Amino acid sequence: MSTTTGDPRPRVRTGPDGVAVLGWRCTGCGYPVAQAVLRCPLCRGPVAESAFSPEGEVWASTCLRVRVPGHTPPYAVAYVVLDDGPRVLVHTPGDRPLPPSTRARVTGTSGTGDLLAVPAGEES
């Protein structure tokens, strides 16, 4: 994982075991971070590259009705708190927000680099 891409969005790795969300974890306190950082934002300790589970719980979700390059409104986005990792922003299917506490699974990235997720148990 490179910290020099300039793109702050989390990355995913797809392999034989499925999808993992890539990020960093503090080697001192264990705090997970999705964006590239040089030191832990909580304790200022060193961080190491880490891979996180693609599943988690929706913390908040909304439908956006504004034009953004690469996205046709309306579309839904959600913050998902990964089971063993950080909170990440994902795009979800359609334009209906997912209710808070819904289980969701990151399935990959869009052509524009955004994380994609579906309700857990649904096909990608």
mmCIF file with all atom_site columns, all heavy atoms in Angstrom, residues 24-33 37-49:
data_model
loop_
_atom_site.group_PDB
_atom_site.id
_atom_site.type_symbol
_atom_site.label_atom_id
_atom_site.label_alt_id
_atom_site.label_comp_id
_atom_site.label_asym_id
_atom_site.label_entity_id
_atom_site.label_seq_id
_atom_site.pdbx_PDB_ins_code
_atom_site.Cartn_x
_atom_site.Cartn_y
_atom_site.Cartn_z
_atom_site.occupancy
_atom_site.B_iso_or_equiv
_atom_site.pdbx_formal_charge
_atom_site.auth_seq_id
_atom_site.auth_comp_id
_atom_site.auth_asym_id
_atom_site.auth_atom_id
_atom_site.pdbx_PDB_model_num
ATOM 1   N N   . TRP A 1 24 ? -4.648  1.227  7.672  1.00 0.00 ? 24 TRP A N   1
ATOM 2   C CA  . TRP A 1 24 ? -3.559  1.226  8.641  1.00 0.00 ? 24 TRP A CA  1
ATOM 3   C C   . TRP A 1 24 ? -4.135  1.017  10.028 1.00 0.00 ? 24 TRP A C   1
ATOM 4   O O   . TRP A 1 24 ? -5.280  1.358  10.309 1.00 0.00 ? 24 TRP A O   1
ATOM 5   C CB  . TRP A 1 24 ? -2.807  2.556  8.581  1.00 0.00 ? 24 TRP A CB  1
ATOM 6   C CG  . TRP A 1 24 ? -2.039  2.704  7.308  1.00 0.00 ? 24 TRP A CG  1
ATOM 7   C CD1 . TRP A 1 24 ? -0.713  2.447  7.123  1.00 0.00 ? 24 TRP A CD1 1
ATOM 8   C CD2 . TRP A 1 24 ? -2.547  3.111  6.030  1.00 0.00 ? 24 TRP A CD2 1
ATOM 9   N NE1 . TRP A 1 24 ? -0.375  2.660  5.816  1.00 0.00 ? 24 TRP A NE1 1
ATOM 10  C CE2 . TRP A 1 24 ? -1.476  3.063  5.116  1.00 0.00 ? 24 TRP A CE2 1
ATOM 11  C CE3 . TRP A 1 24 ? -3.800  3.474  5.551  1.00 0.00 ? 24 TRP A CE3 1
ATOM 12  C CZ2 . TRP A 1 24 ? -1.618  3.388  3.780  1.00 0.00 ? 24 TRP A CZ2 1
ATOM 13  C CZ3 . TRP A 1 24 ? -3.947  3.799  4.208  1.00 0.00 ? 24 TRP A CZ3 1
ATOM 14  C CH2 . TRP A 1 24 ? -2.858  3.761  3.336  1.00 0.00 ? 24 TRP A CH2 1
ATOM 15  N N   . ARG A 1 25 ? -3.307  0.447  10.914 1.00 0.00 ? 25 ARG A N   1
ATOM 16  C CA  . ARG A 1 25 ? -3.697  0.254  12.308 1.00 0.00 ? 25 ARG A CA  1
ATOM 17  C C   . ARG A 1 25 ? -2.516  0.678  13.181 1.00 0.00 ? 25 ARG A C   1
ATOM 18  O O   . ARG A 1 25 ? -1.366  0.388  12.864 1.00 0.00 ? 25 ARG A O   1
ATOM 19  C CB  . ARG A 1 25 ? -4.047  -1.209 12.575 1.00 0.00 ? 25 ARG A CB  1
ATOM 20  C CG  . ARG A 1 25 ? -4.589  -1.448 13.979 1.00 0.00 ? 25 ARG A CG  1
ATOM 21  C CD  . ARG A 1 25 ? -4.958  -2.895 14.218 1.00 0.00 ? 25 ARG A CD  1
ATOM 22  N NE  . ARG A 1 25 ? -5.993  -3.409 13.365 1.00 0.00 ? 25 ARG A NE  1
ATOM 23  C CZ  . ARG A 1 25 ? -7.305  -3.253 13.544 1.00 0.00 ? 25 ARG A CZ  1
ATOM 24  N NH1 . ARG A 1 25 ? -7.738  -2.524 14.566 1.00 0.00 ? 25 ARG A NH1 1
ATOM 25  N NH2 . ARG A 1 25 ? -8.163  -3.784 12.725 1.00 0.00 ? 25 ARG A NH2 1
ATOM 26  N N   . CYS A 1 26 ? -2.823  1.366  14.265 1.00 0.00 ? 26 CYS A N   1
ATOM 27  C CA  . CYS A 1 26 ? -1.788  1.804  15.202 1.00 0.00 ? 26 CYS A CA  1
ATOM 28  C C   . CYS A 1 26 ? -1.154  0.577  15.850 1.00 0.00 ? 26 CYS A C   1
ATOM 29  O O   . CYS A 1 26 ? -1.856  -0.322 16.315 1.00 0.00 ? 26 CYS A O   1
ATOM 30  C CB  . CYS A 1 26 ? -2.396  2.713  16.267 1.00 0.00 ? 26 CYS A CB  1
ATOM 31  S SG  . CYS A 1 26 ? -1.190  3.268  17.497 1.00 0.00 ? 26 CYS A SG  1
ATOM 32  N N   . THR A 1 27 ? 0.174   0.557  15.882 1.00 0.00 ? 27 THR A N   1
ATOM 33  C CA  . THR A 1 27 ? 0.868   -0.572 16.501 1.00 0.00 ? 27 THR A CA  1
ATOM 34  C C   . THR A 1 27 ? 0.863   -0.462 18.025 1.00 0.00 ? 27 THR A C   1
ATOM 35  O O   . THR A 1 27 ? 1.142   -1.440 18.707 1.00 0.00 ? 27 THR A O   1
ATOM 36  C CB  . THR A 1 27 ? 2.317   -0.677 15.997 1.00 0.00 ? 27 THR A CB  1
ATOM 37  O OG1 . THR A 1 27 ? 3.005   0.536  16.310 1.00 0.00 ? 27 THR A OG1 1
ATOM 38  C CG2 . THR A 1 27 ? 2.351   -0.912 14.491 1.00 0.00 ? 27 THR A CG2 1
ATOM 39  N N   . GLY A 1 28 ? 0.522   0.719  18.534 1.00 0.00 ? 28 GLY A N   1
ATOM 40  C CA  . GLY A 1 28 ? 0.474   0.902  19.977 1.00 0.00 ? 28 GLY A CA  1
ATOM 41  C C   . GLY A 1 28 ? -0.903  0.656  20.566 1.00 0.00 ? 28 GLY A C   1
ATOM 42  O O   . GLY A 1 28 ? -1.103  -0.238 21.387 1.00 0.00 ? 28 GLY A O   1
ATOM 43  N N   . CYS A 1 29 ? -1.893  1.424  20.101 1.00 0.00 ? 29 CYS A N   1
ATOM 44  C CA  . CYS A 1 29 ? -3.235  1.347  20.695 1.00 0.00 ? 29 CYS A CA  1
ATOM 45  C C   . CYS A 1 29 ? -4.218  0.536  19.857 1.00 0.00 ? 29 CYS A C   1
ATOM 46  O O   . CYS A 1 29 ? -5.320  0.237  20.316 1.00 0.00 ? 29 CYS A O   1
ATOM 47  C CB  . CYS A 1 29 ? -3.793  2.746  20.958 1.00 0.00 ? 29 CYS A CB  1
ATOM 48  S SG  . CYS A 1 29 ? -4.275  3.655  19.467 1.00 0.00 ? 29 CYS A SG  1
ATOM 49  N N   . GLY A 1 30 ? -3.852  0.195  18.610 1.00 0.00 ? 30 GLY A N   1
ATOM 50  C CA  . GLY A 1 30 ? -4.725  -0.624 17.773 1.00 0.00 ? 30 GLY A CA  1
ATOM 51  C C   . GLY A 1 30 ? -5.789  0.134  17.008 1.00 0.00 ? 30 GLY A C   1
ATOM 52  O O   . GLY A 1 30 ? -6.619  -0.471 16.330 1.00 0.00 ? 30 GLY A O   1
ATOM 53  N N   . TYR A 1 31 ? -5.784  1.456  17.066 1.00 0.00 ? 31 TYR A N   1
ATOM 54  C CA  . TYR A 1 31 ? -6.802  2.258  16.384 1.00 0.00 ? 31 TYR A CA  1
ATOM 55  C C   . TYR A 1 31 ? -6.712  2.058  14.868 1.00 0.00 ? 31 TYR A C   1
ATOM 56  O O   . TYR A 1 31 ? -5.641  2.200  14.284 1.00 0.00 ? 31 TYR A O   1
ATOM 57  C CB  . TYR A 1 31 ? -6.624  3.736  16.743 1.00 0.00 ? 31 TYR A CB  1
ATOM 58  C CG  . TYR A 1 31 ? -7.703  4.626  16.216 1.00 0.00 ? 31 TYR A CG  1
ATOM 59  C CD1 . TYR A 1 31 ? -8.973  4.629  16.786 1.00 0.00 ? 31 TYR A CD1 1
ATOM 60  C CD2 . TYR A 1 31 ? -7.464  5.479  15.141 1.00 0.00 ? 31 TYR A CD2 1
ATOM 61  C CE1 . TYR A 1 31 ? -9.978  5.458  16.306 1.00 0.00 ? 31 TYR A CE1 1
ATOM 62  C CE2 . TYR A 1 31 ? -8.459  6.315  14.650 1.00 0.00 ? 31 TYR A CE2 1
ATOM 63  C CZ  . TYR A 1 31 ? -9.714  6.292  15.233 1.00 0.00 ? 31 TYR A CZ  1
ATOM 64  O OH  . TYR A 1 31 ? -10.707 7.106  14.748 1.00 0.00 ? 31 TYR A OH  1
ATOM 65  N N   . PRO A 1 32 ? -7.849  1.744  14.196 1.00 0.00 ? 32 PRO A N   1
ATOM 66  C CA  . PRO A 1 32 ? -7.834  1.535  12.745 1.00 0.00 ? 32 PRO A CA  1
ATOM 67  C C   . PRO A 1 32 ? -8.099  2.833  11.986 1.00 0.00 ? 32 PRO A C   1
ATOM 68  O O   . PRO A 1 32 ? -8.909  3.660  12.410 1.00 0.00 ? 32 PRO A O   1
ATOM 69  C CB  . PRO A 1 32 ? -8.984  0.554  12.533 1.00 0.00 ? 32 PRO A CB  1
ATOM 70  C CG  . PRO A 1 32 ? -9.965  0.921  13.609 1.00 0.00 ? 32 PRO A CG  1
ATOM 71  C CD  . PRO A 1 32 ? -9.138  1.371  14.796 1.00 0.00 ? 32 PRO A CD  1
ATOM 72  N N   . VAL A 1 33 ? -7.429  2.996  10.844 1.00 0.00 ? 33 VAL A N   1
ATOM 73  C CA  . VAL A 1 33 ? -7.587  4.187  10.019 1.00 0.00 ? 33 VAL A CA  1
ATOM 74  C C   . VAL A 1 33 ? -7.675  3.756  8.560  1.00 0.00 ? 33 VAL A C   1
ATOM 75  O O   . VAL A 1 33 ? -6.877  2.928  8.107  1.00 0.00 ? 33 VAL A O   1
ATOM 76  C CB  . VAL A 1 33 ? -6.395  5.159  10.206 1.00 0.00 ? 33 VAL A CB  1
ATOM 77  C CG1 . VAL A 1 33 ? -6.590  6.423  9.406  1.00 0.00 ? 33 VAL A CG1 1
ATOM 78  C CG2 . VAL A 1 33 ? -6.174  5.478  11.666 1.00 0.00 ? 33 VAL A CG2 1
ATOM 79  N N   . VAL A 1 37 ? -2.042  7.743  6.905  1.00 0.00 ? 37 VAL A N   1
ATOM 80  C CA  . VAL A 1 37 ? -1.559  8.619  7.966  1.00 0.00 ? 37 VAL A CA  1
ATOM 81  C C   . VAL A 1 37 ? -0.130  8.211  8.310  1.00 0.00 ? 37 VAL A C   1
ATOM 82  O O   . VAL A 1 37 ? 0.271   7.072  8.076  1.00 0.00 ? 37 VAL A O   1
ATOM 83  C CB  . VAL A 1 37 ? -2.439  8.552  9.239  1.00 0.00 ? 37 VAL A CB  1
ATOM 84  C CG1 . VAL A 1 37 ? -3.829  9.094  8.974  1.00 0.00 ? 37 VAL A CG1 1
ATOM 85  C CG2 . VAL A 1 37 ? -2.517  7.146  9.791  1.00 0.00 ? 37 VAL A CG2 1
ATOM 86  N N   . LEU A 1 38 ? 0.622   9.132  8.857  1.00 0.00 ? 38 LEU A N   1
ATOM 87  C CA  . LEU A 1 38 ? 1.987   8.828  9.278  1.00 0.00 ? 38 LEU A CA  1
ATOM 88  C C   . LEU A 1 38 ? 2.042   8.372  10.725 1.00 0.00 ? 38 LEU A C   1
ATOM 89  O O   . LEU A 1 38 ? 2.921   7.609  11.114 1.00 0.00 ? 38 LEU A O   1
ATOM 90  C CB  . LEU A 1 38 ? 2.891   10.042 9.076  1.00 0.00 ? 38 LEU A CB  1
ATOM 91  C CG  . LEU A 1 38 ? 3.015   10.519 7.620  1.00 0.00 ? 38 LEU A CG  1
ATOM 92  C CD1 . LEU A 1 38 ? 3.828   11.801 7.554  1.00 0.00 ? 38 LEU A CD1 1
ATOM 93  C CD2 . LEU A 1 38 ? 3.630   9.426  6.773  1.00 0.00 ? 38 LEU A CD2 1
ATOM 94  N N   . ARG A 1 39 ? 1.085   8.868  11.539 1.00 0.00 ? 39 ARG A N   1
ATOM 95  C CA  . ARG A 1 39 ? 1.027   8.525  12.961 1.00 0.00 ? 39 ARG A CA  1
ATOM 96  C C   . ARG A 1 39 ? -0.426  8.348  13.359 1.00 0.00 ? 39 ARG A C   1
ATOM 97  O O   . ARG A 1 39 ? -1.325  8.871  12.711 1.00 0.00 ? 39 ARG A O   1
ATOM 98  C CB  . ARG A 1 39 ? 1.675   9.632  13.792 1.00 0.00 ? 39 ARG A CB  1
ATOM 99  C CG  . ARG A 1 39 ? 3.069   9.943  13.266 1.00 0.00 ? 39 ARG A CG  1
ATOM 100 C CD  . ARG A 1 39 ? 4.128   10.365 14.204 1.00 0.00 ? 39 ARG A CD  1
ATOM 101 N NE  . ARG A 1 39 ? 4.444   9.707  15.418 1.00 0.00 ? 39 ARG A NE  1
ATOM 102 C CZ  . ARG A 1 39 ? 5.272   8.660  15.532 1.00 0.00 ? 39 ARG A CZ  1
ATOM 103 N NH1 . ARG A 1 39 ? 5.761   8.080  14.481 1.00 0.00 ? 39 ARG A NH1 1
ATOM 104 N NH2 . ARG A 1 39 ? 5.590   8.190  16.697 1.00 0.00 ? 39 ARG A NH2 1
ATOM 105 N N   . CYS A 1 40 ? -0.652  7.630  14.437 1.00 0.00 ? 40 CYS A N   1
ATOM 106 C CA  . CYS A 1 40 ? -2.003  7.393  14.941 1.00 0.00 ? 40 CYS A CA  1
ATOM 107 C C   . CYS A 1 40 ? -2.649  8.715  15.348 1.00 0.00 ? 40 CYS A C   1
ATOM 108 O O   . CYS A 1 40 ? -2.043  9.504  16.072 1.00 0.00 ? 40 CYS A O   1
ATOM 109 C CB  . CYS A 1 40 ? -1.940  6.454  16.140 1.00 0.00 ? 40 CYS A CB  1
ATOM 110 S SG  . CYS A 1 40 ? -3.537  6.198  16.951 1.00 0.00 ? 40 CYS A SG  1
ATOM 111 N N   . PRO A 1 41 ? -3.891  8.971  14.894 1.00 0.00 ? 41 PRO A N   1
ATOM 112 C CA  . PRO A 1 41 ? -4.548  10.219 15.275 1.00 0.00 ? 41 PRO A CA  1
ATOM 113 C C   . PRO A 1 41 ? -4.961  10.263 16.746 1.00 0.00 ? 41 PRO A C   1
ATOM 114 O O   . PRO A 1 41 ? -5.244  11.333 17.264 1.00 0.00 ? 41 PRO A O   1
ATOM 115 C CB  . PRO A 1 41 ? -5.773  10.283 14.359 1.00 0.00 ? 41 PRO A CB  1
ATOM 116 C CG  . PRO A 1 41 ? -5.997  8.894  13.900 1.00 0.00 ? 41 PRO A CG  1
ATOM 117 C CD  . PRO A 1 41 ? -4.678  8.204  13.937 1.00 0.00 ? 41 PRO A CD  1
ATOM 118 N N   . LEU A 1 42 ? -4.957  9.106  17.429 1.00 0.00 ? 42 LEU A N   1
ATOM 119 C CA  . LEU A 1 42 ? -5.328  9.098  18.845 1.00 0.00 ? 42 LEU A CA  1
ATOM 120 C C   . LEU A 1 42 ? -4.127  9.232  19.776 1.00 0.00 ? 42 LEU A C   1
ATOM 121 O O   . LEU A 1 42 ? -4.105  10.086 20.645 1.00 0.00 ? 42 LEU A O   1
ATOM 122 C CB  . LEU A 1 42 ? -6.081  7.810  19.198 1.00 0.00 ? 42 LEU A CB  1
ATOM 123 C CG  . LEU A 1 42 ? -7.489  7.680  18.660 1.00 0.00 ? 42 LEU A CG  1
ATOM 124 C CD1 . LEU A 1 42 ? -8.126  6.402  19.183 1.00 0.00 ? 42 LEU A CD1 1
ATOM 125 C CD2 . LEU A 1 42 ? -8.341  8.874  19.046 1.00 0.00 ? 42 LEU A CD2 1
ATOM 126 N N   . CYS A 1 43 ? -3.131  8.352  19.580 1.00 0.00 ? 43 CYS A N   1
ATOM 127 C CA  . CYS A 1 43 ? -2.014  8.322  20.533 1.00 0.00 ? 43 CYS A CA  1
ATOM 128 C C   . CYS A 1 43 ? -0.696  8.808  19.936 1.00 0.00 ? 43 CYS A C   1
ATOM 129 O O   . CYS A 1 43 ? 0.303   8.872  20.640 1.00 0.00 ? 43 CYS A O   1
ATOM 130 C CB  . CYS A 1 43 ? -1.845  6.913  21.087 1.00 0.00 ? 43 CYS A CB  1
ATOM 131 S SG  . CYS A 1 43 ? -1.129  5.732  19.913 1.00 0.00 ? 43 CYS A SG  1
ATOM 132 N N   . ARG A 1 44 ? -0.705  9.138  18.632 1.00 0.00 ? 44 ARG A N   1
ATOM 133 C CA  . ARG A 1 44 ? 0.477   9.611  17.901 1.00 0.00 ? 44 ARG A CA  1
ATOM 134 C C   . ARG A 1 44 ? 1.534   8.521  17.735 1.00 0.00 ? 44 ARG A C   1
ATOM 135 O O   . ARG A 1 44 ? 2.680   8.798  17.399 1.00 0.00 ? 44 ARG A O   1
ATOM 136 C CB  . ARG A 1 44 ? 1.100   10.853 18.566 1.00 0.00 ? 44 ARG A CB  1
ATOM 137 C CG  . ARG A 1 44 ? 0.131   12.018 18.762 1.00 0.00 ? 44 ARG A CG  1
ATOM 138 C CD  . ARG A 1 44 ? -0.463  12.564 17.508 1.00 0.00 ? 44 ARG A CD  1
ATOM 139 N NE  . ARG A 1 44 ? 0.556   13.078 16.611 1.00 0.00 ? 44 ARG A NE  1
ATOM 140 C CZ  . ARG A 1 44 ? 0.441   13.132 15.297 1.00 0.00 ? 44 ARG A CZ  1
ATOM 141 N NH1 . ARG A 1 44 ? -0.653  12.728 14.728 1.00 0.00 ? 44 ARG A NH1 1
ATOM 142 N NH2 . ARG A 1 44 ? 1.400   13.598 14.540 1.00 0.00 ? 44 ARG A NH2 1
ATOM 143 N N   . GLY A 1 45 ? 1.171   7.262  17.976 1.00 0.00 ? 45 GLY A N   1
ATOM 144 C CA  . GLY A 1 45 ? 2.087   6.145  17.797 1.00 0.00 ? 45 GLY A CA  1
ATOM 145 C C   . GLY A 1 45 ? 2.257   5.789  16.333 1.00 0.00 ? 45 GLY A C   1
ATOM 146 O O   . GLY A 1 45 ? 1.543   6.289  15.461 1.00 0.00 ? 45 GLY A O   1
ATOM 147 N N   . PRO A 1 46 ? 3.187   4.880  16.037 1.00 0.00 ? 46 PRO A N   1
ATOM 148 C CA  . PRO A 1 46 ? 3.401   4.456  14.650 1.00 0.00 ? 46 PRO A CA  1
ATOM 149 C C   . PRO A 1 46 ? 2.243   3.596  14.152 1.00 0.00 ? 46 PRO A C   1
ATOM 150 O O   . PRO A 1 46 ? 1.546   2.955  14.942 1.00 0.00 ? 46 PRO A O   1
ATOM 151 C CB  . PRO A 1 46 ? 4.702   3.657  14.720 1.00 0.00 ? 46 PRO A CB  1
ATOM 152 C CG  . PRO A 1 46 ? 4.825   3.220  16.134 1.00 0.00 ? 46 PRO A CG  1
ATOM 153 C CD  . PRO A 1 46 ? 4.128   4.260  16.963 1.00 0.00 ? 46 PRO A CD  1
ATOM 154 N N   . VAL A 1 47 ? 2.041   3.595  12.831 1.00 0.00 ? 47 VAL A N   1
ATOM 155 C CA  . VAL A 1 47 ? 0.990   2.778  12.230 1.00 0.00 ? 47 VAL A CA  1
ATOM 156 C C   . VAL A 1 47 ? 1.621   1.780  11.256 1.00 0.00 ? 47 VAL A C   1
ATOM 157 O O   . VAL A 1 47 ? 2.723   2.004  10.755 1.00 0.00 ? 47 VAL A O   1
ATOM 158 C CB  . VAL A 1 47 ? -0.061  3.641  11.486 1.00 0.00 ? 47 VAL A CB  1
ATOM 159 C CG1 . VAL A 1 47 ? -0.815  4.524  12.458 1.00 0.00 ? 47 VAL A CG1 1
ATOM 160 C CG2 . VAL A 1 47 ? 0.587   4.465  10.386 1.00 0.00 ? 47 VAL A CG2 1
ATOM 161 N N   . ALA A 1 48 ? 0.909   0.691  11.034 1.00 0.00 ? 48 ALA A N   1
ATOM 162 C CA  . ALA A 1 48 ? 1.348   -0.333 10.087 1.00 0.00 ? 48 ALA A CA  1
ATOM 163 C C   . ALA A 1 48 ? 0.191   -0.643 9.151  1.00 0.00 ? 48 ALA A C   1
ATOM 164 O O   . ALA A 1 48 ? -0.990  -0.529 9.531  1.00 0.00 ? 48 ALA A O   1
ATOM 165 C CB  . ALA A 1 48 ? 1.778   -1.595 10.834 1.00 0.00 ? 48 ALA A CB  1
ATOM 166 N N   . GLU A 1 49 ? 0.540   -1.039 7.919  1.00 0.00 ? 49 GLU A N   1
ATOM 167 C CA  . GLU A 1 49 ? -0.499  -1.414 6.963  1.00 0.00 ? 49 GLU A CA  1
ATOM 168 C C   . GLU A 1 49 ? -1.315  -2.558 7.529  1.00 0.00 ? 49 GLU A C   1
ATOM 169 O O   . GLU A 1 49 ? -0.805  -3.418 8.246  1.00 0.00 ? 49 GLU A O   1
ATOM 170 C CB  . GLU A 1 49 ? 0.142   -1.816 5.636  1.00 0.00 ? 49 GLU A CB  1
ATOM 171 C CG  . GLU A 1 49 ? 0.821   -0.659 4.951  1.00 0.00 ? 49 GLU A CG  1
ATOM 172 C CD  . GLU A 1 49 ? 1.512   -1.068 3.664  1.00 0.00 ? 49 GLU A CD  1
ATOM 173 O OE1 . GLU A 1 49 ? 1.559   -2.278 3.361  1.00 0.00 ? 49 GLU A OE1 1
ATOM 174 O OE2 . GLU A 1 49 ? 2.011   -0.171 2.971  1.00 0.00 ? 49 GLU A OE2 1
#
